Amino acid sequence: MLRLQLRPGLTLAVTCLGLYVAAAAQARATRSSALSVAVAAISAPVLALANGVGVLAEDFSHGLRSLQAILAEHTHLEQEAAELRRVNQALSAEVASLRQGSRLLAAYPTLVEKAVVARVIARDVLRTHTLRLDRGRRDGIALDSAVLTENGLLGRVDSVQEHSCRVQLLTHPQAAAAARITGVAQEALLVGGDQPRITGLAPYTDVPENAQVLSTGSEGIYPPGLLLGSAGAARTDGLFTVAAVELAARASEANTVLVLQPAGRATP
Amino acid sequence: MKLALVFVLGLVLQLALTAAHLPWLLAACQPLLLVTVFAARTFSPIGVAWTGLAAGIATDIFAERIIGPGGIAGALAGIFVAGLVRRFEMQGPLFWIVGSLAAAASSELAWLAVVATLGMRPDHTWLGGLATIVMTAAAGFFVAVVELAARAWGSPARRRRRALQRL
């Protein structure tokens, strides 16, 4: 029996040489297809699995991108909706203000010629009892101009700037207006405060409840005949009959007001 | 046994990386060359050369090329890598990174040389060779990182730290 004992290095070299010769032979001969078929058969499931993994990865990546796009769109839409809500609120306020202005102009058709429509831009009806309007000296507003809402007198202008003015409300503790009560012959004085009241009437004057309290214009600020409010229960307090007054105009609800030229003064 | 398992895994991975739905650049990666590098840890240079030869022949067969040049190139790459690793006593991440780079470069050079002596037209030129070297080295880098992470995870120091945290 022939026994070959080759060194490992030599065996490797011989194998490589054999491979080289085989490769040269393959290069010059037609290739067999059996091996190709076998390779294809072995490769097919591996390739199918790898392709499945690739498709899964592609789908995942695509889904991730879609999700990011959707989230970005969602954020954008949320911002857009918030902006639209804000605009909608502003427009609603604008419409309400315009409606109030229209009603105001309709309520005083004879005064419109000498009046300026103004918008309330700030209000403090509890502490300083004032409103700030968006009209000022440039718009013809002067000191002591009477300020009206569609329901009645609100107060007078006590401070004027170039583009704005401040209104002292009839609820101001220092506010006062000459007034008369429907059904009562005497003239009286409406004084402000947290609970406005009418005073200056002779003792034991009979004041009809819920009678209209109107301006007389004697103080030189408010035009005569404008509604101030309605009279409440009257009582005699010392030398005068005093009656509580429920003011007609509510400063807390006024958004648009009418500013009249002051009585006896010309607009600059 | 372990080498056989790694060899089969490398072969399957090498086949899988050519799948159409994976990034096309991955097809240039040669995981079977990493098997040769892996063998350099345990085998003698001749043993590594045999592993490279087997890896090269398998590559030739599954790439449906002429069987032989790949085997010869793999054997030469195996000898070169084994020599390099022993000469510089490479360990850790450097073993995988330099080993895979050297294996890919030497294998490509040897393959081109063998194909040229056979008077054949190579199926890829310098660009394909470069892609093979880069991608195989990248795979080596990946294996190095994974090995490093695995070692850090299973290190006695980490176990001690965890034991101390539980106290």
Side-chain angles (χ1 to χ4, degrees):
Chain A
M1 193 171 76
L2 184 67
R3 191 173 172 194
L4 282 174
Q5 191 158 11
L6 292 170
R7 289 195 317 191
L10 193 60
T11 314
L12 182 70
V14 169
T15 308
C16 284
L17 187 65
L19 271 175
Y20 186 78
V21 172
Q26 286 173 69
R28 281 154 187 79
T30 52
R31 297 179 67 193
S32 63
S33 61
L35 191 62
S36 301
V37 171
V39 165
I42 293 168
S43 303
V46 176
L47 288 174
L49 185 69
N51 274 325
V53 171
V55 168
L56 200 68
E58 277 173 13
D59 287 351
F60 183 74
S61 170
H62 184 71
L64 206 63
R65 279 199 300 274
S66 297
L67 183 67
Q68 282 168 349
I70 287 167
L71 285 175
E73 181 70 16
H74 177 70
T75 310
H76 177 70
L77 285 174
E78 267 185 348
Q79 286 171 350
E80 214 167 64
E83 177 65 16
L84 284 173
R85 266 198 299 274
R86 195 186 61 74
V87 169
N88 194 28
Q89 281 175 353
L91 284 174
S92 298
E94 193 78 8
V95 167
S97 182
L98 285 171
R99 281 183 184 155
Q100 203 171 42
S102 300
R103 285 199 301 270
L104 191 63
L105 291 172
Y108 304 103
T110 54
L111 298 174
V112 168
E113 294 293 319
K114 300 180 287 181
V116 175
V117 177
R119 193 169 293 174
V120 177
I121 54 174
R123 84 180 83 221
D124 181 2
V125 296
L126 292 172
R127 207 164 53 86
T128 61
H129 299 272
T130 54
L131 297 180
R132 182 156 290 280
L133 308 181
D134 66 342
R135 303 283 179 175
R137 196 173 288 114
R138 283 184 66 165
D139 306 295
I141 307 289
L143 208 61
D144 286 339
S145 300
V147 180
L148 298 165
T149 68
E150 59 185 306
N151 297 322
L153 265 169
L154 196 63
R156 67 177 182 91
V157 173
D158 73 339
S159 164
V160 188
Q161 280 78 45
E162 201 61 24
H163 297 286
S164 67
C165 66
R166 194 178 70 171
V167 179
Q168 185 193 66
L169 300 172
L170 285 173
T171 52
H172 194 283
Q174 291 174 4
R180 66 180 174 80
I181 301 169
T182 312
V184 178
Q186 306 165 52
E187 190 176 33
L189 186 68
L190 176 84
V191 291
D194 287 335
Q195 176 54 66
R197 61 199 189 281
I198 197 155
T199 185
L201 295 167
Y204 308 109
T205 305
D206 188 22
V207 177
E209 213 160 312
N210 295 325
Q212 284 188 330
V213 180
L214 303 169
S215 62
T216 60
S218 301
E219 79 292 302
I221 294 175
Y222 302 110
L226 294 176
L227 182 66
L228 287 165
S230 55
R235 61 189 167 82
T236 299
D237 185 13
L239 297 173
F240 303 110
T241 296
V242 178
V245 174
E246 181 74 29
L247 291 175
R250 289 180 185 278
S252 56
E253 292 165 8
N255 289 316
T256 308
V257 296
L258 203 62
V259 185
L260 304 179
Q261 281 180 9
R265 295 184 200 180
T267 308
Chain B
M1 184 63 193
K2 195 175 174 183
L3 183 69
L5 201 69
V6 172
F7 190 92
V8 171
L9 192 71
L11 181 63
V12 169
L13 199 59
Q14 188 157 313
L15 273 176
L17 289 178
T18 59
H21 282 94
L22 293 180
W24 55 271
L25 204 62
L26 289 179
C29 185
Q30 303 281 292
L32 275 174
L33 282 175
L34 295 183
V35 178
T36 310
V37 178
F38 173 74
R41 259 190 183 156
T42 46
F43 292 108
S44 66
I46 297 298
V48 180
W50 277 109
T51 311
L53 186 123
I57 289 175
T59 303
D60 280 346
I61 290 170
F62 283 94
E64 295 183 54
R65 297 196 292 208
I66 286 185
I67 300 161
I72 297 167
L76 291 173
I79 289 174
F80 179 65
V81 170
L84 194 74
V85 167
R86 270 166 181 68
R87 172 72 184 79
F88 294 102
E89 296 178 355
M90 286 178 189
Q91 284 180 338
L94 203 65
F95 166 78
W96 281 108
I97 296 165
V98 176
S100 58
L101 195 66
S106 56
S107 165
E108 277 301 304
L109 277 173
W111 183 81
L112 279 171
V114 172
V115 166
T117 56
L118 285 170
M120 290 157 52
R121 186 186 285 266
D123 60 4
H124 62 267
T125 53
W126 64 271
L127 193 64
L130 187 69
T132 303
I133 293 167
V134 169
M135 290 310 293
T136 307
F141 179 77
F142 177 73
V143 172
V145 170
V146 170
E147 192 187 54
L148 204 66
R151 277 192 180 168
W153 182 260
S155 71
R158 184 177 170 279
R159 257 184 259 133
R160 273 199 299 277
R161 274 199 302 276
R162 284 176 66 83
L164 283 170
Q165 276 173 359
R166 275 198 293 269
L167 289 176

